mmCIF file of all heavy atoms in Angstrom:
data_model
loop_
_atom_site.group_PDB
_atom_site.id
_atom_site.type_symbol
_atom_site.label_atom_id
_atom_site.label_comp_id
_atom_site.label_asym_id
_atom_site.label_seq_id
_atom_site.Cartn_x
_atom_site.Cartn_y
_atom_site.Cartn_z
ATOM 1 N N GLY H 1 108.753 -36.204 189.997
ATOM 2 C CA GLY H 1 107.827 -37.027 190.759
ATOM 3 C C GLY H 1 106.614 -36.327 191.268
ATOM 4 O O GLY H 1 105.523 -36.865 191.134
ATOM 5 N N GLU H 2 106.934 -35.183 191.805
ATOM 6 C CA GLU H 2 105.640 -34.453 192.316
ATOM 7 C C GLU H 2 104.842 -33.857 191.133
ATOM 8 O O GLU H 2 103.549 -33.853 191.265
ATOM 9 C CB GLU H 2 106.191 -33.293 193.178
ATOM 10 C CG GLU H 2 104.960 -32.526 193.797
ATOM 11 C CD GLU H 2 105.371 -31.221 194.462
ATOM 12 O OE1 GLU H 2 106.335 -30.582 194.011
ATOM 13 O OE2 GLU H 2 104.658 -30.818 195.447
ATOM 14 N N GLY H 3 105.424 -33.614 190.031
ATOM 15 C CA GLY H 3 104.655 -33.053 188.863
ATOM 16 C C GLY H 3 103.744 -34.098 188.336
ATOM 17 O O GLY H 3 102.612 -33.798 188.082
ATOM 18 N N PHE H 4 104.228 -35.368 188.340
ATOM 19 C CA PHE H 4 103.361 -36.454 187.932
ATOM 20 C C PHE H 4 102.266 -36.674 188.964
ATOM 21 O O PHE H 4 101.106 -36.948 188.576
ATOM 22 C CB PHE H 4 104.163 -37.728 187.759
ATOM 23 C CG PHE H 4 103.418 -38.886 187.068
ATOM 24 C CD1 PHE H 4 103.311 -38.931 185.673
ATOM 25 C CD2 PHE H 4 102.880 -39.913 187.873
ATOM 26 C CE1 PHE H 4 102.584 -39.980 185.123
ATOM 27 C CE2 PHE H 4 102.208 -40.903 187.273
ATOM 28 C CZ PHE H 4 102.012 -41.015 185.953
ATOM 29 N N HIS H 5 102.534 -36.631 190.217
ATOM 30 C CA HIS H 5 101.509 -36.853 191.276
ATOM 31 C C HIS H 5 100.498 -35.647 191.206
ATOM 32 O O HIS H 5 99.283 -35.984 191.485
ATOM 33 C CB HIS H 5 102.199 -36.912 192.618
ATOM 34 C CG HIS H 5 101.238 -37.314 193.680
ATOM 35 N ND1 HIS H 5 100.537 -38.481 193.629
ATOM 36 C CD2 HIS H 5 100.952 -36.765 194.904
ATOM 37 C CE1 HIS H 5 99.784 -38.622 194.749
ATOM 38 N NE2 HIS H 5 99.977 -37.616 195.461
ATOM 39 N N ILE H 6 100.854 -34.485 190.814
ATOM 40 C CA ILE H 6 99.916 -33.428 190.706
ATOM 41 C C ILE H 6 98.936 -33.535 189.569
ATOM 42 O O ILE H 6 97.728 -33.357 189.788
ATOM 43 C CB ILE H 6 100.683 -32.111 190.768
ATOM 44 C CG1 ILE H 6 101.317 -31.738 192.135
ATOM 45 C CG2 ILE H 6 99.716 -30.909 190.314
ATOM 46 C CD1 ILE H 6 102.140 -30.527 192.143
ATOM 47 N N ALA H 7 99.491 -33.737 188.428
ATOM 48 C CA ALA H 7 98.656 -33.740 187.295
ATOM 49 C C ALA H 7 99.127 -34.709 186.119
ATOM 50 O O ALA H 7 99.004 -34.414 184.897
ATOM 51 C CB ALA H 7 98.553 -32.329 186.669
ATOM 52 N N ARG H 8 99.735 -35.747 186.545
ATOM 53 C CA ARG H 8 100.219 -36.752 185.545
ATOM 54 C C ARG H 8 101.155 -36.074 184.512
ATOM 55 O O ARG H 8 101.948 -35.241 184.919
ATOM 56 C CB ARG H 8 99.211 -37.575 184.932
ATOM 57 C CG ARG H 8 98.489 -38.475 185.907
ATOM 58 C CD ARG H 8 97.403 -39.345 185.248
ATOM 59 N NE ARG H 8 97.859 -40.156 184.177
ATOM 60 C CZ ARG H 8 98.522 -41.385 184.354
ATOM 61 N NH1 ARG H 8 98.450 -41.901 185.561
ATOM 62 N NH2 ARG H 8 98.935 -42.187 183.412
ATOM 63 N N TRP H 9 101.029 -36.339 183.242
ATOM 64 C CA TRP H 9 101.943 -35.815 182.194
ATOM 65 C C TRP H 9 101.707 -34.322 182.063
ATOM 66 O O TRP H 9 102.756 -33.671 181.608
ATOM 67 C CB TRP H 9 101.683 -36.485 180.830
ATOM 68 C CG TRP H 9 102.007 -37.981 180.980
ATOM 69 C CD1 TRP H 9 101.122 -39.015 180.909
ATOM 70 C CD2 TRP H 9 103.341 -38.580 181.209
ATOM 71 N NE1 TRP H 9 101.837 -40.239 181.104
ATOM 72 C CE2 TRP H 9 103.092 -40.032 181.217
ATOM 73 C CE3 TRP H 9 104.559 -38.078 181.424
ATOM 74 C CZ2 TRP H 9 104.198 -40.910 181.512
ATOM 75 C CZ3 TRP H 9 105.638 -38.975 181.643
ATOM 76 C CH2 TRP H 9 105.427 -40.365 181.613
ATOM 77 N N THR H 10 100.627 -33.774 182.307
ATOM 78 C CA THR H 10 100.468 -32.291 182.332
ATOM 79 C C THR H 10 101.423 -31.688 183.331
ATOM 80 O O THR H 10 101.998 -30.574 183.039
ATOM 81 C CB THR H 10 98.979 -31.903 182.567
ATOM 82 O OG1 THR H 10 98.146 -32.514 181.581
ATOM 83 C CG2 THR H 10 98.816 -30.362 182.507
ATOM 84 N N GLY H 11 101.560 -32.322 184.452
ATOM 85 C CA GLY H 11 102.352 -31.769 185.446
ATOM 86 C C GLY H 11 103.884 -31.809 185.094
ATOM 87 O O GLY H 11 104.677 -30.864 185.418
ATOM 88 N N VAL H 12 104.238 -32.894 184.465
ATOM 89 C CA VAL H 12 105.650 -33.020 184.151
ATOM 90 C C VAL H 12 106.045 -32.314 182.865
ATOM 91 O O VAL H 12 107.136 -31.658 182.753
ATOM 92 C CB VAL H 12 105.971 -34.621 183.881
ATOM 93 C CG1 VAL H 12 107.423 -34.776 183.366
ATOM 94 C CG2 VAL H 12 105.651 -35.328 185.091
ATOM 95 N N LEU H 13 105.163 -32.121 181.844
ATOM 96 C CA LEU H 13 105.494 -31.605 180.558
ATOM 97 C C LEU H 13 104.931 -30.107 180.330
ATOM 98 O O LEU H 13 105.424 -29.460 179.431
ATOM 99 C CB LEU H 13 104.912 -32.476 179.476
ATOM 100 C CG LEU H 13 105.514 -33.889 179.379
ATOM 101 C CD1 LEU H 13 104.758 -34.651 178.290
ATOM 102 C CD2 LEU H 13 106.961 -33.868 179.025
ATOM 103 N N ILE H 14 104.176 -29.667 181.278
ATOM 104 C CA ILE H 14 103.621 -28.320 181.130
ATOM 105 C C ILE H 14 103.959 -27.457 182.498
ATOM 106 O O ILE H 14 104.530 -26.436 182.402
ATOM 107 C CB ILE H 14 102.128 -28.237 180.803
ATOM 108 C CG1 ILE H 14 101.874 -28.933 179.445
ATOM 109 C CG2 ILE H 14 101.617 -26.835 180.783
ATOM 110 C CD1 ILE H 14 100.466 -29.115 179.025
ATOM 111 N N VAL H 15 103.421 -27.949 183.669
ATOM 112 C CA VAL H 15 103.558 -27.073 184.788
ATOM 113 C C VAL H 15 105.027 -26.935 185.260
ATOM 114 O O VAL H 15 105.461 -25.879 185.414
ATOM 115 C CB VAL H 15 102.734 -27.815 185.914
ATOM 116 C CG1 VAL H 15 102.922 -27.146 187.308
ATOM 117 C CG2 VAL H 15 101.327 -27.884 185.560
ATOM 118 N N ALA H 16 105.698 -28.155 185.348
ATOM 119 C CA ALA H 16 107.084 -27.990 185.748
ATOM 120 C C ALA H 16 107.936 -27.202 184.727
ATOM 121 O O ALA H 16 108.814 -26.339 185.196
ATOM 122 C CB ALA H 16 107.763 -29.331 185.836
ATOM 123 N N PRO H 17 107.907 -27.363 183.465
ATOM 124 C CA PRO H 17 108.672 -26.512 182.535
ATOM 125 C C PRO H 17 108.413 -25.044 182.679
ATOM 126 O O PRO H 17 109.322 -24.118 182.576
ATOM 127 C CB PRO H 17 108.298 -26.977 181.184
ATOM 128 C CG PRO H 17 107.903 -28.386 181.282
ATOM 129 C CD PRO H 17 107.188 -28.412 182.699
ATOM 130 N N ILE H 18 107.117 -24.642 182.872
ATOM 131 C CA ILE H 18 106.741 -23.243 183.066
ATOM 132 C C ILE H 18 107.417 -22.651 184.156
ATOM 133 O O ILE H 18 108.077 -21.530 184.105
ATOM 134 C CB ILE H 18 105.252 -23.048 183.106
ATOM 135 C CG1 ILE H 18 104.580 -23.362 181.784
ATOM 136 C CG2 ILE H 18 104.877 -21.660 183.549
ATOM 137 C CD1 ILE H 18 103.068 -23.287 181.790
ATOM 138 N N LEU H 19 107.523 -23.442 185.332
ATOM 139 C CA LEU H 19 108.160 -22.871 186.532
ATOM 140 C C LEU H 19 109.714 -22.874 186.298
ATOM 141 O O LEU H 19 110.317 -21.856 186.758
ATOM 142 C CB LEU H 19 107.863 -23.850 187.744
ATOM 143 C CG LEU H 19 106.370 -23.811 188.116
ATOM 144 C CD1 LEU H 19 106.187 -24.923 189.318
ATOM 145 C CD2 LEU H 19 105.919 -22.473 188.710
ATOM 146 N N TRP H 20 110.192 -23.796 185.588
ATOM 147 C CA TRP H 20 111.652 -23.769 185.417
ATOM 148 C C TRP H 20 111.947 -22.693 184.467
ATOM 149 O O TRP H 20 113.123 -22.008 184.658
ATOM 150 C CB TRP H 20 112.121 -25.068 184.769
ATOM 151 C CG TRP H 20 112.142 -26.265 185.700
ATOM 152 C CD1 TRP H 20 112.365 -26.203 186.967
ATOM 153 C CD2 TRP H 20 111.940 -27.677 185.415
ATOM 154 N NE1 TRP H 20 112.257 -27.441 187.536
ATOM 155 C CE2 TRP H 20 112.009 -28.357 186.581
ATOM 156 C CE3 TRP H 20 111.534 -28.396 184.190
ATOM 157 C CZ2 TRP H 20 111.808 -29.697 186.717
ATOM 158 C CZ3 TRP H 20 111.359 -29.715 184.355
ATOM 159 C CH2 TRP H 20 111.410 -30.446 185.536
ATOM 160 N N ILE H 21 111.199 -22.281 183.449
ATOM 161 C CA ILE H 21 111.449 -21.142 182.553
ATOM 162 C C ILE H 21 111.481 -19.874 183.395
ATOM 163 O O ILE H 21 112.448 -19.080 183.218
ATOM 164 C CB ILE H 21 110.449 -21.114 181.477
ATOM 165 C CG1 ILE H 21 110.559 -22.256 180.418
ATOM 166 C CG2 ILE H 21 110.496 -19.753 180.731
ATOM 167 C CD1 ILE H 21 109.562 -22.272 179.417
ATOM 168 N N PHE H 22 110.536 -19.719 184.233
ATOM 169 C CA PHE H 22 110.624 -18.501 185.113
ATOM 170 C C PHE H 22 111.828 -18.473 185.967
ATOM 171 O O PHE H 22 112.529 -17.347 186.059
ATOM 172 C CB PHE H 22 109.329 -18.567 186.029
ATOM 173 C CG PHE H 22 108.032 -18.141 185.372
ATOM 174 C CD1 PHE H 22 106.902 -18.689 185.791
ATOM 175 C CD2 PHE H 22 107.989 -17.395 184.251
ATOM 176 C CE1 PHE H 22 105.610 -18.384 185.189
ATOM 177 C CE2 PHE H 22 106.825 -16.979 183.496
ATOM 178 C CZ PHE H 22 105.704 -17.544 183.961
ATOM 179 N N LEU H 23 112.196 -19.557 186.471
ATOM 180 C CA LEU H 23 113.325 -19.663 187.421
ATOM 181 C C LEU H 23 114.683 -19.361 186.751
ATOM 182 O O LEU H 23 115.420 -18.510 187.107
ATOM 183 C CB LEU H 23 113.453 -21.028 188.067
ATOM 184 C CG LEU H 23 114.518 -21.254 189.100
ATOM 185 C CD1 LEU H 23 114.239 -20.471 190.472
ATOM 186 C CD2 LEU H 23 114.767 -22.645 189.487
ATOM 187 N N PHE H 24 114.899 -20.139 185.538
ATOM 188 C CA PHE H 24 116.160 -19.856 184.880
ATOM 189 C C PHE H 24 116.259 -18.498 184.251
ATOM 190 O O PHE H 24 117.363 -17.778 184.247
ATOM 191 C CB PHE H 24 116.332 -20.917 183.719
ATOM 192 C CG PHE H 24 116.174 -22.264 184.149
ATOM 193 C CD1 PHE H 24 115.764 -23.322 183.307
ATOM 194 C CD2 PHE H 24 116.682 -22.682 185.419
ATOM 195 C CE1 PHE H 24 115.803 -24.659 183.730
ATOM 196 C CE2 PHE H 24 116.631 -23.974 185.917
ATOM 197 C CZ PHE H 24 116.171 -25.001 185.056
ATOM 198 N N THR H 25 115.193 -17.965 183.750
ATOM 199 C CA THR H 25 115.209 -16.621 183.121
ATOM 200 C C THR H 25 115.500 -15.597 184.215
ATOM 201 O O THR H 25 116.255 -14.557 184.002
ATOM 202 C CB THR H 25 113.868 -16.260 182.476
ATOM 203 O OG1 THR H 25 113.583 -17.252 181.496
ATOM 204 C CG2 THR H 25 113.913 -14.874 181.844
ATOM 205 N N LEU H 26 114.898 -15.670 185.381
ATOM 206 C CA LEU H 26 115.032 -14.684 186.501
ATOM 207 C C LEU H 26 116.577 -14.716 186.909
ATOM 208 O O LEU H 26 117.078 -13.622 187.022
ATOM 209 C CB LEU H 26 114.096 -15.062 187.689
ATOM 210 C CG LEU H 26 114.250 -14.234 188.894
ATOM 211 C CD1 LEU H 26 114.006 -12.790 188.580
ATOM 212 C CD2 LEU H 26 113.318 -14.778 190.057
ATOM 213 N N PHE H 27 117.041 -15.817 187.295
ATOM 214 C CA PHE H 27 118.390 -15.902 187.850
ATOM 215 C C PHE H 27 119.530 -15.604 186.791
ATOM 216 O O PHE H 27 120.513 -15.090 187.119
ATOM 217 C CB PHE H 27 118.646 -17.145 188.583
ATOM 218 C CG PHE H 27 118.044 -17.235 189.898
ATOM 219 C CD1 PHE H 27 116.867 -17.936 190.256
ATOM 220 C CD2 PHE H 27 118.569 -16.545 190.981
ATOM 221 C CE1 PHE H 27 116.242 -17.994 191.387
ATOM 222 C CE2 PHE H 27 118.051 -16.604 192.284
ATOM 223 C CZ PHE H 27 116.832 -17.248 192.517
ATOM 224 N N ASP H 28 119.236 -16.042 185.552
ATOM 225 C CA ASP H 28 120.287 -15.709 184.513
ATOM 226 C C ASP H 28 120.180 -14.190 184.227
ATOM 227 O O ASP H 28 121.311 -13.564 184.113
ATOM 228 C CB ASP H 28 119.979 -16.432 183.265
ATOM 229 C CG ASP H 28 120.368 -17.823 183.325
ATOM 230 O OD1 ASP H 28 121.190 -18.173 184.150
ATOM 231 O OD2 ASP H 28 120.002 -18.687 182.438
ATOM 232 N N SER H 29 119.018 -13.598 184.396
ATOM 233 C CA SER H 29 118.965 -12.066 184.168
ATOM 234 C C SER H 29 119.540 -11.305 185.358
ATOM 235 O O SER H 29 120.108 -10.240 185.188
ATOM 236 C CB SER H 29 117.531 -11.644 183.900
ATOM 237 O OG SER H 29 116.989 -12.235 182.770
ATOM 238 N N LEU H 30 119.387 -11.873 186.425
ATOM 239 C CA LEU H 30 119.965 -11.134 187.756
ATOM 240 C C LEU H 30 121.482 -11.381 187.860
ATOM 241 O O LEU H 30 122.195 -10.431 188.008
ATOM 242 C CB LEU H 30 119.319 -11.840 188.983
ATOM 243 C CG LEU H 30 118.027 -11.204 189.454
ATOM 244 C CD1 LEU H 30 117.555 -12.026 190.736
ATOM 245 C CD2 LEU H 30 118.186 -9.792 189.876
ATOM 246 N N CYS H 31 121.992 -12.575 187.654
ATOM 247 C CA CYS H 31 123.351 -12.906 188.020
ATOM 248 C C CYS H 31 124.385 -12.970 186.733
ATOM 249 O O CYS H 31 125.508 -12.705 186.992
ATOM 250 C CB CYS H 31 123.368 -14.229 188.740
ATOM 251 S SG CYS H 31 122.343 -14.302 190.238
ATOM 252 N N GLY H 32 123.850 -13.352 185.651
ATOM 253 C CA GLY H 32 124.670 -13.469 184.512
ATOM 254 C C GLY H 32 125.625 -14.759 184.645
ATOM 255 O O GLY H 32 125.331 -15.607 185.382
ATOM 256 N N SER H 33 126.690 -14.618 183.910
ATOM 257 C CA SER H 33 127.653 -15.770 183.864
ATOM 258 C C SER H 33 128.394 -15.955 185.188
ATOM 259 O O SER H 33 128.858 -14.917 185.769
ATOM 260 C CB SER H 33 128.762 -15.489 182.791
ATOM 261 O OG SER H 33 129.774 -16.413 182.806
ATOM 262 N N ALA H 34 128.478 -17.096 185.628
ATOM 263 C CA ALA H 34 129.162 -17.355 186.931
ATOM 264 C C ALA H 34 130.603 -17.202 186.881
ATOM 265 O O ALA H 34 131.219 -16.967 187.867
ATOM 266 C CB ALA H 34 128.821 -18.870 187.426
ATOM 267 N N THR H 35 131.147 -17.163 185.656
ATOM 268 C CA THR H 35 132.674 -16.854 185.550
ATOM 269 C C THR H 35 132.943 -15.416 185.690
ATOM 270 O O THR H 35 134.085 -14.953 185.905
ATOM 271 C CB THR H 35 133.161 -17.261 184.140
ATOM 272 O OG1 THR H 35 132.473 -16.606 183.195
ATOM 273 C CG2 THR H 35 132.965 -18.827 183.999
ATOM 274 N N GLU H 36 131.882 -14.556 185.560
ATOM 275 C CA GLU H 36 132.158 -13.044 185.628
ATOM 276 C C GLU H 36 131.572 -12.468 186.941
ATOM 277 O O GLU H 36 132.046 -11.436 187.358
ATOM 278 C CB GLU H 36 131.521 -12.358 184.445
ATOM 279 C CG GLU H 36 132.090 -12.805 183.102
ATOM 280 C CD GLU H 36 131.454 -12.203 181.929
ATOM 281 O OE1 GLU H 36 130.470 -11.381 182.170
ATOM 282 O OE2 GLU H 36 131.854 -12.464 180.795
ATOM 283 N N SER H 37 130.549 -13.047 187.522
ATOM 284 C CA SER H 37 129.853 -12.405 188.638
ATOM 285 C C SER H 37 129.793 -13.606 189.791
ATOM 286 O O SER H 37 129.425 -14.650 189.489
ATOM 287 C CB SER H 37 128.414 -11.978 188.272
ATOM 288 O OG SER H 37 127.763 -11.703 189.251
ATOM 289 N N PRO H 38 130.018 -13.035 191.061
ATOM 290 C CA PRO H 38 129.961 -13.968 192.115
ATOM 291 C C PRO H 38 128.557 -14.393 192.558
ATOM 292 O O PRO H 38 128.392 -15.363 193.251
ATOM 293 C CB PRO H 38 130.661 -13.257 193.243
ATOM 294 C CG PRO H 38 130.419 -11.789 192.953
ATOM 295 C CD PRO H 38 130.496 -11.739 191.513
ATOM 296 N N TRP H 39 127.430 -13.669 192.121
ATOM 297 C CA TRP H 39 126.218 -13.982 192.630
ATOM 298 C C TRP H 39 125.696 -15.307 191.955
ATOM 299 O O TRP H 39 124.965 -15.964 192.683
ATOM 300 C CB TRP H 39 125.311 -12.769 192.214
ATOM 301 C CG TRP H 39 125.858 -11.511 192.347
ATOM 302 C CD1 TRP H 39 126.118 -10.492 191.432
ATOM 303 C CD2 TRP H 39 126.521 -10.968 193.521
ATOM 304 N NE1 TRP H 39 126.687 -9.376 191.870
ATOM 305 C CE2 TRP H 39 126.994 -9.645 193.143
ATOM 306 C CE3 TRP H 39 126.650 -11.385 194.816
ATOM 307 C CZ2 TRP H 39 127.684 -8.813 194.148
ATOM 308 C CZ3 TRP H 39 127.242 -10.575 195.762
ATOM 309 C CH2 TRP H 39 127.811 -9.343 195.393
ATOM 310 N N GLY H 40 126.028 -15.532 190.733
ATOM 311 C CA GLY H 40 125.671 -16.842 190.221
ATOM 312 C C GLY H 40 126.260 -18.104 191.026
ATOM 313 O O GLY H 40 125.688 -19.115 191.113
#
């Protein structure tokens, strides 16, 4: 909803996914599998 308010479809399809890629890559690289490490 905020992504659309910021830049319409550019916010939803470009801005938000870029931020999610950074987020998922960072925490997956830090914590690994939740079944093996408690940090996840």
Side-chain angles (χ1 to χ4, degrees):
E2 186 189 25
F4 189 83
H5 189 52
I6 287 175
R8 291 183 62 84
W9 297 112
T10 301
V12 177
L13 297 175
I14 297 179
V15 176
I18 290 175
L19 294 177
W20 287 330
I21 289 172
F22 287 151
L23 184 72
F24 299 155
T25 303
L26 175 61
F27 281 103
D28 283 345
S29 299
L30 273 178
C31 305
S33 172
T35 61
E36 300 176 359
S37 170
W39 320 121

